[in-house]
Amino acid sequence: MSPEGRGIARGHLPADAGGDTFRILHVSTGNVCRSPITERLTRHALSHRLGGLVTGDLIVESAGTWGHEGAPMEANAAAVLADFGADASGFTGRELLDEHVIRADLVLTATRDHRAQVISMGHSAGLRTFTLKEFTRLVRAIDPATLPPLDDGMAERARALVRAAAALRGWLLAPSPDADEVYDPYGAPITFFRSIGDEINQALDPVVTALTGVTASSR
């Protein structure tokens, strides 16, 4: 059976939900620390910006290149999510499968190595796979006025954002190799988890703003 994504509104959607569905896949190593934090912070931010009116055409999910299938989120990761008021409940880890990559419209990875692993799986993933921080850097350079209005559907706006970011790649380079990395807090104390959570939250902010057309300060 094909794995279902974790929807942020209407729950699971069928694999043949059609062109109106946009899937964001967050990828890290074990899918118990960084990618669960990123998944749930993305969902929380989208819901907050849109006043809880996020429709089921946008699905946010995560997996790990060495994912602990069925494992719970790390306790420190859940604590970080609680700091932001995000929901950590019901999470189970997943190993990254071809099916996840095939169905994803945007893949955001914790590191360049994760990005390379996703792209090496094939499925024409290169133009829709970025590290989270890489995507943030590219999104900051995109004029939101060039994106379709939200009235046209969030999926349409999101696809245009990914195309625009892919077109900029190669022109806007990272200031250093480490600038595109989110380091693994696995086994670290809660203070390091919180610093990683802040890092992820800051990277997500312009992405969610571009997707929704709503800034965090507007809510």
Side-chain angles (χ1 to χ4, degrees), residues 58-70:
L58 183 61
I59 293 174
V60 183
E61 55 189 343
S62 63
T65 55
W66 290 88
H68 303 302
E69 189 72 30

Side-chain angles (χ1 to χ4, degrees), residues 1 23 35 40 53 63 76 85 92 105 114-115 122 129 135 168 187 213 219:
M1 180 179 294
R23 290 177 179 266
S35 51
R40 294 304 176 94
L53 299 178
N76 281 347
T92 55
D105 297 286
H114 296 133
R115 182 185 63 194
T129 302
F135 193 66
L168 286 173
R219 296 302 307 175

Side-chain angles (χ1 to χ4, degrees), residues 155-176:
E156 183 63 27
R157 184 180 177 92
R159 288 191 186 92
L161 183 67
V162 173
R163 289 193 298 268
L168 286 173
R169 185 155 48 187
W171 294 93
L172 296 176
L173 302 179
S176 69

